[in-house]
Amino acid sequence: MSTDNKLTQELMKVGSSTCSIFGHSLNSRGIWFGDNPLDFSFPLLLLQLSLICIFSRSLHALFKNIAQPSIVSQIVAGVILGPSVLGRSAAFAVKVFPPKGKILVDTLAVFGLMLFVFLLGVKTDPTIFFKSGKRPLAIGILGFFVPYVLAGLVALVLNHFLSLDHDISNVLHLVAVLQSLTSFPVIVCFLAELKLLNSELGRLASCSSIVSDMCHWFIVAVRIATRLTIARSLRTSIGSSLSTILLVIFFVVGIRPAALWAIRHTPEGKPVKEIYISVVLIALLFCGFMGEVIGINAYISSFILGLFIPDGPPLGAALVERFDCFVSVLLMPIFFTSCGLKVDIFAIKNFKNVGMIELVVVAALFGKMIGTMLPPILCRMRLRDALCLSIIMNSKGITELAILIRWKEHNVINEECFTILIISLLIVTGAITPLTNALYDPSKRFLAYKRRTILHHRNDEELRILACIHSTDNVRAVLNLLSASNPSKESPINLAVLHLIKLVGRASPLLIACVSRENKSQYSTQSEQIFNAFRKFEQHYSGHVIVHCYKGISPYATMHNDVCSLALEKRTTFIVIPFHKQWVIGGRVESSNTLRHLNNNVLDKAPCSVGVLIDRGNQRKPWSILGQPSMYRVAVLFFGGADDREVLAYAGRMYDDHNVLITLLRFYSSTEIVGGTARSKILDTEILSQFRLNAFRNQRVSYQEEMVMDGNGVLAVLRSIENAYDLVMVGRRHQDSQLMSDLGKWSEHGELGAIGDILAAKDFRGAASVLVVQQQTKLWGLNDPEDSTRLRRANM
């Protein structure tokens, strides 16, 4: 027997076992065509999947240029392959997508949807409904019931005054319910694709969609209960209700305790055992089967099962990491394309029916916009943002598709109505993305209305610093910098510590304040280890340092929103973020492109000054609870410009610390060392004169001038200080000049500026940490960072 035949038989066995699990429900949906569900060709399956992949990816690449989400391109791919375009050819339909040849495609689509809703349930925190607050509650309730009532009234008027087809008359009230829905899975996927998940509008939309979902399923449950009571006997209705209750009890007393037991027996940082993953998959198949048997369908039971598995690490994150890529890259495109394959635009025979359905759709759309916009406007949200929120809440996607397919398979709607509603979904979804991009830019709210720089910070005010931490490896370097920053009674440090965690195994991002636990566990989490180190630092500088701890869980692509929003909320003056490269034991360097992208976003959008801290793994501890701390040597490199002045202002704060030695290296040349305006040169001269005056008064402060002729001269000076200091501070940006152009040739990336990149390079053998500083760039009404004549400045 050939290998292909053996492989085909194995796939037949898989299909047979799947069919035995879902048997009756799949047959009732029409997934198996013909008497023999295993009558298919394996090469034909490969051809179908290849065509689906080619068309969906090609259209996605094309539609991406006009800001269309992937769901649109995948459904359109199915429409092209289906009876609307290529399927009109009898030869193509018979040879490529014959009825019996769709067996595994439809089975994969069903199983993919089950896995998708299960994973979404795993990523969802059910308690977010109770934490959502009044505003999302009002938006969710009004955003569902206003369109429901308005669209229902339009459907009632049309049925009463016009002579409609029987099928259209019956479907209008269903359209009103469907269009009133704002589904949490749809909103989360939409926000993630637009990279708005942890923006202010994204958090509000995701919380509100949960409330809207609850309202929708409440209405559906009432309608189902009413229909069962009328159409079936009381005994059948009670039996169906009891079966549902027993399934939920099984989730409560069986699934939830088992999941918590697995979590307790998985040490932090260790992978989840394979047996736990296998048991969860078996439970998913069992619950999907039971959901079909008792009449609530496999999708709902799969989602509820996911809700009872705790989100986040270790178990929830392990499930998502294991299956998310497989589901999102392979199975869900198959599901969306299979939806398009069912669309036949030639089934639309009466354009009057199109008009009637679209009237209800438009009424629901405007009703949702009105219901969604009212609460934010009453809460003084900007009209533009409220309008954008209402547009986002009109998003349609996987939930609506699943409902439409189920209606079609159960003959609730005919093929004409199904096609009209799918086309309506494509039009609405296709319009929402470009409108949202045009109306909403989350970075605009980070625009500060006053200077938040160290240079313009008064010496008798507390210095507000936000320290971003990725892991325990970043802690010591940040503590050394804070200790050298001279926290004192006259100018204490108000420190916000933000532990940044990648969003894994959750649907909604989190930005929460963390307090110390009274009953400390034997095994502390990484966040607790980080926060405990900073709390010890706070105790050591009692009264001079105040520490607030926060945890931010979000995707790396939008993690800068957490950093910038917390900095804005806390009126932060200075943000400290770790460099994306980390020096480990043995001199090896580990680099992360995701952290590099995060740092670039923070530098671009921060509402205050930012410092990128490069830790070469040679930290000494200048602060100590026992004994006297050692001297901490700081070098300040000054070339000129706003960022270098910010560095010098930070160094000026360190003057009074008796354990800090400061050396200012001022570079000058016979030619222009950096470009800049005349105003910038004057400010440079003023701050240097003040620093030189203080250097004469303070023995721990020294001033040196370095004459350089070209880039090689600068490199020679930098190499001479490689191991002479514990911390080197320099500005990020310098105006264009011939010298800076020469130095730029040695830059590896460029995000730290010409000097910063040299100091962060692998071949720079210094043991010192490096702080690359950028002065605040986002300020209302300020186009030139040198324009600070009307703003107060710190006295050096």
Side-chain angles (χ1 to χ4, degrees), residues 647-664:
V647 170
L648 208 52
Y650 197 1
R653 184 180 172 83
M654 302 175 180
Y655 282 168
D656 297 328
D657 192 317
H658 297 286
N659 300 305
V660 176
L661 300 176
I662 300 174
T663 301
L664 171 62

Side-chain angles (χ1 to χ4, degrees), residues 53 223 225 700 720 734:
C53 179
R223 292 170 66 92
R700 296 185 305 278
S720 69
H734 299 97

Side-chain angles (χ1 to χ4, degrees), residues 41 98 153 298 320 517 567 604 632 642:
S41 167
L153 286 174
V320 172
R517 290 192 298 183
D604 184 49
Y632 195 66

Side-chain angles (χ1 to χ4, degrees), residues 645-703:
R645 293 195 294 274
E646 186 75 359
V647 170
L648 208 52
Y650 197 1
R653 184 180 172 83
M654 302 175 180
Y655 282 168
D656 297 328
D657 192 317
H658 297 286
N659 300 305
V660 176
L661 300 176
I662 300 174
T663 301
L664 171 62
L665 300 175
R666 188 231 171 171
F667 291 81
Y668 72 98
S669 176
S670 56
T671 59
E672 188 176 52
I673 194 164
V674 293
T677 62
R679 176 63 187 162
S680 178
K681 305 292 185 184
I682 294 171
L683 293 175
D684 288 346
T685 303
E686 287 180 0
I687 198 168
L688 283 170
S689 299
Q690 186 67 39
F691 190 96
R692 292 182 68 177
L693 181 61
N694 288 329
F696 285 118
R697 298 173 181 172
N698 193 329
Q699 294 181 349
R700 296 185 305 278
V701 180
S702 60
Y703 175 86

